[in-house]
Amino acid sequence: MLRKLFRKWRESRNASLQLDAILAAADPEAPLAERNGWLIELGFWIRRDGGLGADTDSQEPGTDRRHPEHVRLRYLLQVLERHPDWAGRFALTVRSLVRENDPTGLFCDTGVALHPGFVSEMVGRLQNRFLPPPPNRSDMAGLFALVFVGDEDAEWVEAIDDGLLARLARVLQAGSAGGEAAGMAHYRDALGQTLATSIAVLVSQVRATGLSQAIRSRLAGRVEETPFFRLDEAIQALREEGLRHDDNSFGHRLNYFRALLDGCHAAIRQVYEDLEENGVSVEVVFQIERMKVQLSRIELLLAAWVEPRRPGMHAHLVAELIRSTQARRSISHLAGTSFAQLARKVVERSAETGEHYITRDRKEYAELVRAAAGGGLVSVATVYLKFLIYGLHLDKFSEGLLASLNYAGSFLAIHFAHFTLATKQPAMTGPALAHRLDGAGRPEGREIFVDDTIAMIRSNAAAIVGNLAVVFPVALGIQWLAHKLLGANLITPAKAIATIESFSILGPTPLYAAFTGVLLWLSSLIAGWADNWFALHRVHDVMAYNRRLQYVLGARGATRLADFWKRNLSGIAANVSLGLLLGLGPEILSFFGPHMEVRHVTLSTGSVGAAIGVLGLDALRMPSLWLAVAGIALMGMLNVAVSFALAFNMALRSRNLRRVDRAELSAAVRRRILKHPLSLVIPPRAAGPETAAGGREA
C-alpha cells in the first residue's frame, strides 16, 4: 500500500490529465481556486513528456523540434479552432483569470527579494521550497510560479514565434464583446496601464532603497542631486494622463527617465567602489543586488510599455519573468550574489598578506628561512607546554581551552617576532597566486603565473624545512639536557612511545592532517573577515578621534594605537582563531560527531624529537618511528595541500576565473620544472622588476 502511494506521489510530479478532459473542465463561472488549478493543469499538459502522434506532428511543417512544448501548443490551438464551443469557454476562463488575479505583484515582485535583509530573505526562500503559494488567492505572481515550474520553460516560451502568438491571441479573444479587434485593443490598453503602474511601484522601491542611510552615506553630493531623489517625479511626468507615446513631449520625458536609470546604475557602481575601499557589508550588498534586479525589471517593463508591438517582446517579457521566478527559488543564488563581494574582499586581504610569503630572490629566500627557524624555535615551547597540559588529565573542555591558549600565545609570539609558521602560508599564498590568473590568458601573464607558482612552491618548502630543522633538534636537545643535568624525563617513556605511534601513516594521521588543513584555511577567512570589519566600521578613525583615548594617550598616542590595530588586527585574529580552532575545534567536533585530532607538521615533528630524546637511540630500531616519519611527511603535504586548495578555489570563485585553461597552465608549470628543476630549491639571484614584492610579515 505504501509503495503504491509512494509510486503515485513520484508520478504526480509530471502527470497530467488528457487534453479533452482539461478543455471540458474549463468553466469561467467556477470558483477562483478551481480555475487557477485548471490553468496549472494545462501548464503541466503542455510540458508533459511524450509525443502526440506522427500524424499530428506532420500537420505542422513549422514545428520546432527542439521544443516539444511548441508541438503541444499548436495541437491545443488546432483543437480549439476546430471546436468553437471549447474555444469560447477556454477564452472566457483565461480572460477571467487575467481579470481577477492581480498582475502588479507579477511584474513588481516576481524574482525580486521581498524581505528587507539577507537572513529574512533566506528564511523566506527556505520556507517557499516546502510551501508553494496556494492557488486560491487572487495573486498572479503565485499562479505564475505554480504554472511555470519546468527548468526549460523560459527557453521554450521565448522561442515562440510571432505566428503562433498571433494564433493564440485570436483564440483568447473568442467571444469577446465588440469583436476580435476591439478585444485586442482593450487588452493592449489594460496591459499598458498595468505596466505603467508596475513601473511606478518599482520606482518607489528603488527610490526608498537609494535614499536609505546605508546607500546614501556612500554617495557623493547632496541628497537632492542623486538620481534616486528625482526618479519619482520623472515617472509621474511620463504617466501623465492623456500623454500619447507618439508625442514629442513623451519622447523627451522618456529620455530623461532613462538617463536617471543610467545614473542609478552609476550610483550603484560608486557604492561598490566604496565597499571595495572601506569594507564590505553583506546587508548593503543584498540591498544593492535587490535594487539592481528592480532597475533591470523597470527597464524590461519600460520596453514592453513603450514598444508593445516589437516582435517577440511579450514572449521575451514572460521568459524573463520565468527566469526571475526560478532564480528566486534558489538559495545558492541568493548566497552567491550576497557573499561574492565579501568573499572577494576577504580573498584580496589574504592575497595581500600572501605576497609577503612568496620569495623571488635569494635575499628574500634567506630572510624566510631565518624567520621559519625562529618559528620553529618558538614551537618547541609550544610542544612541551602541550605535553604539560595533557599530562594534567583534566576534562576534555579544560584541556582544549588550555591547549587553545597555548597555541594562540605561541602563534602571537611568532607573529610579533616577525617569524614564520610554515603551514600558515598556503592559505595566504593561494589567493595571491589566483590573482595572477587575471592575465594568464596572455603569454606574458602566463609566464608571471608560472614564475610565482615556482616561487610559491619553493617558499613553502623552505618555510617547512626551516621550521622542522630547528624544532626537531631543539626539542630533542632540551630533553637530552634535562636527562643529563636533572636526571629526569620531561615526558614518560610510555607517553613517548604512544606519541610516536599516534603519528603512524597507517593510522588516522592522514585524515587528521587534512582536517588540520581545513582549520588553517578557516583561520585565514576569519583574518580577512576581521580586517573587513575593521575597515567597514571605520574603527581606525573611531579610535584615533576618541575623546577619552586622546585624553589618556594624547592625540598622537591615540593615532599610534589605531595604527597598531590597523596593521595587526588581521594577524591577531588569524593567530588567536587558529589557536582556538586547533585547541577547542577537535573537542567540540568530537562531541557532536566523529572523533578528530589535530596533526600539525611542525608541532608533531617537535613531539617526535622530544620522544626520541626520552627513548634514546633505541627508538631508531622501532618500526613505529619510521611509520611516524612517513606519517609526518604526508602530514606536511596534506596540511599545505588542503589549506592551499581551499583558499585557491575560493579565490577562483570570488573572481569568476574558473574558465581559465588549467591544463595549459599546469603544462607550463611542468615544463618549467623539467627545464629548471633546481628552481624548486634555489631561487634566482635577483627578482624581476615586474614581480618584485614588498616585505614579509608573519
Side-chain angles (χ1 to χ4, degrees), residues 540-616:
H540 178 274
D541 295 341
V542 171
M543 296 177 68
Y545 296 102
N546 183 271
R547 173 181 172 274
R548 297 181 67 179
L549 282 179
Q550 289 185 344
Y551 182 82
V552 174
L553 303 175
R556 294 182 62 184
T559 301
R560 285 198 297 268
L561 180 63
D563 292 341
F564 169 83
W565 281 106
K566 183 178 181 179
R567 290 193 308 269
N568 294 288
L569 177 66
S570 177
I572 292 173
N575 290 295
V576 172
S577 64
L578 181 57
L580 293 174
L581 288 170
L582 294 179
L584 282 174
E587 304 298 341
I588 295 174
L589 183 61
S590 298
F591 179 80
F592 289 102
H595 176 71
M596 280 291 173
E597 296 180 13
V598 168
R599 291 291 185 269
H600 189 280
V601 62
T602 304
L603 301 179
S604 298
T605 302
S607 299
V608 170
I612 294 176
V614 172
L615 299 175

Side-chain angles (χ1 to χ4, degrees), residues 317-332:
L317 173 62
V318 175
E320 286 300 314
L321 293 176
I322 294 173
R323 292 189 182 100
S324 298
T325 301
Q326 294 177 346
R328 191 173 178 273
R329 293 172 184 159
S330 171
I331 298 173
S332 61

Side-chain angles (χ1 to χ4, degrees), residues 368 372 421-423 425-426 458-471 601-602 636-637 639-640:
L368 176 63
L421 188 65
T423 49
Q425 292 180 242
R458 181 175 60 236
S459 302
N460 284 327
I464 292 177
V465 171
N467 278 173
L468 302 190
V470 172
V471 71
V601 62
T602 304
M637 293 175 60
N639 284 169
V640 170

Side-chain angles (χ1 to χ4, degrees), residues 278-613:
N278 298 314
V280 177
S281 166
V282 172
E283 290 297 326
V284 173
V285 171
F286 172 79
Q287 298 286 343
I288 289 294
E289 289 297 324
R290 184 175 67 169
M291 186 160 58
K292 286 171 61 179
V293 173
Q294 290 168 335
L295 287 170
S296 298
R297 181 62 51 79
I298 289 174
E299 292 166 349
L300 177 66
L301 300 183
L302 187 65
W305 179 41
V306 174
E307 304 174 277
R309 299 181 183 274
R310 185 200 295 181
M313 173 56 70
H314 292 172
H316 175 67
L317 173 62
V318 175
E320 286 300 314
L321 293 176
I322 294 173
R323 292 189 182 100
S324 298
T325 301
Q326 294 177 346
R328 191 173 178 273
R329 293 172 184 159
S330 171
I331 298 173
S332 61
H333 181 269
L334 171 67
T337 55
S338 299
F339 281 97
Q341 195 78 3
L342 177 60
R344 179 162 180 163
K345 188 69 176 179
V346 170
V347 163
E348 286 178 351
R349 172 57 191 172
S350 298
E352 181 183 342
T353 305
E355 290 288 347
H356 303 301
Y357 288 124
I358 300 178
T359 61
R360 296 177 174 83
D361 58 33
R362 297 187 180 183
K363 180 181 178 181
E364 291 182 350
Y365 187 81
E367 291 175 356
L368 176 63
V369 173
R370 286 194 293 268
L377 187 63
V378 175
S379 298
V380 175
T382 311
V383 169
Y384 280 106
L385 282 174
K386 184 185 73 169
F387 281 133
L388 175 63
I389 291 169
Y390 287 103
L392 297 175
H393 301 293
L394 303 173
D395 61 272
K396 292 295 184 182
F397 179 80
S398 299
E399 282 185 349
L401 180 60
L402 290 176
S404 295
L405 295 176
N406 178 31
Y407 292 142
S410 171
F411 298 153
L412 286 174
I414 291 173
H415 170 76
F416 286 111
H418 300 290
F419 294 154
T420 294
L421 188 65
T423 49
K424 284 177 54 184
Q425 292 180 242
M428 302 296 181
T429 54
L433 193 62
H435 277 210
R436 297 292 185 265
L437 291 174
D438 282 326
R442 303 185 304 274
E444 60 273 16
R446 191 179 299 114
E447 191 70 14
I448 293 174
F449 177 83
V450 173
D451 289 341
D452 279 356
T453 300
I454 299 299
M456 182 271 298
I457 296 173
R458 181 175 60 236
S459 302
N460 284 327
I464 292 177
V465 171
N467 278 173
L468 302 190
V470 172
V471 71
F472 177 79
V474 173
L476 188 152
I478 288 176
Q479 169 55 43
W480 182 82
L481 286 175
H483 181 73
K484 290 297 183 181
L485 299 179
L486 304 176
N489 292 321
L490 299 179
I491 59 175
T492 65
K495 178 63 176 176
I497 293 173
T499 297
I500 291 175
E501 291 176 346
S502 67
F503 298 140
S504 172
I505 194 174
L506 302 179
T509 292
L511 176 62
Y512 295 161
F515 170 69
T516 304
V518 175
L519 299 183
L520 292 164
W521 170 67
L522 288 176
S523 70
S524 72
L525 292 188
I526 294 172
W529 173 86
D531 186 73
N532 177 75
W533 176 86
F534 191 90
L536 176 66
H537 296 282
R538 303 180 186 273
V539 180
H540 178 274
D541 295 341
V542 171
M543 296 177 68
Y545 296 102
N546 183 271
R547 173 181 172 274
R548 297 181 67 179
L549 282 179
Q550 289 185 344
Y551 182 82
V552 174
L553 303 175
R556 294 182 62 184
T559 301
R560 285 198 297 268
L561 180 63
D563 292 341
F564 169 83
W565 281 106
K566 183 178 181 179
R567 290 193 308 269
N568 294 288
L569 177 66
S570 177
I572 292 173
N575 290 295
V576 172
S577 64
L578 181 57
L580 293 174
L581 288 170
L582 294 179
L584 282 174
E587 304 298 341
I588 295 174
L589 183 61
S590 298
F591 179 80
F592 289 102
H595 176 71
M596 280 291 173
E597 296 180 13
V598 168
R599 291 291 185 269
H600 189 280
V601 62
T602 304
L603 301 179
S604 298
T605 302
S607 299
V608 170
I612 294 176

Side-chain angles (χ1 to χ4, degrees), residues 618-679:
D618 292 338
L620 299 178
R621 292 191 291 269
M622 296 171 52
S624 58
L625 173 64
W626 303 108
L627 290 176
V629 171
I632 289 176
L634 180 60
M635 188 188 306
M637 293 175 60
L638 289 174
N639 284 169
V640 170
V642 171
S643 59
F644 176 82
L646 291 172
F648 188 77
N649 185 63
M650 181 178 175
L652 288 180
R653 291 178 177 274
S654 70
R655 299 179 68 82
N656 294 320
L657 294 175
R658 284 171 287 179
R659 294 186 179 180
V660 174
D661 190 350
R662 300 184 186 183
E664 176 60 29
L665 293 177
S666 300
V669 173
R670 286 195 301 270
R671 287 194 297 269
R672 174 66 64 83
I673 294 174
L674 293 174
K675 186 177 180 180
H676 302 288
L678 290 180
S679 63

Side-chain angles (χ1 to χ4, degrees), residues 1 10 14 42 69 126 146 156 162 181 203 214 220 261 278 364 398 415 420 505 520 566 625 631:
M1 178 66 179
R10 291 183 59 186
N14 296 312
L42 180 63
E69 295 85 357
L126 280 171
L146 292 170
W156 72 259
D162 293 335
V203 162
L261 294 179
N278 298 314
E364 291 182 350
S398 299
H415 170 76
T420 294
I505 194 174
L520 292 164
K566 183 178 181 179
L625 173 64

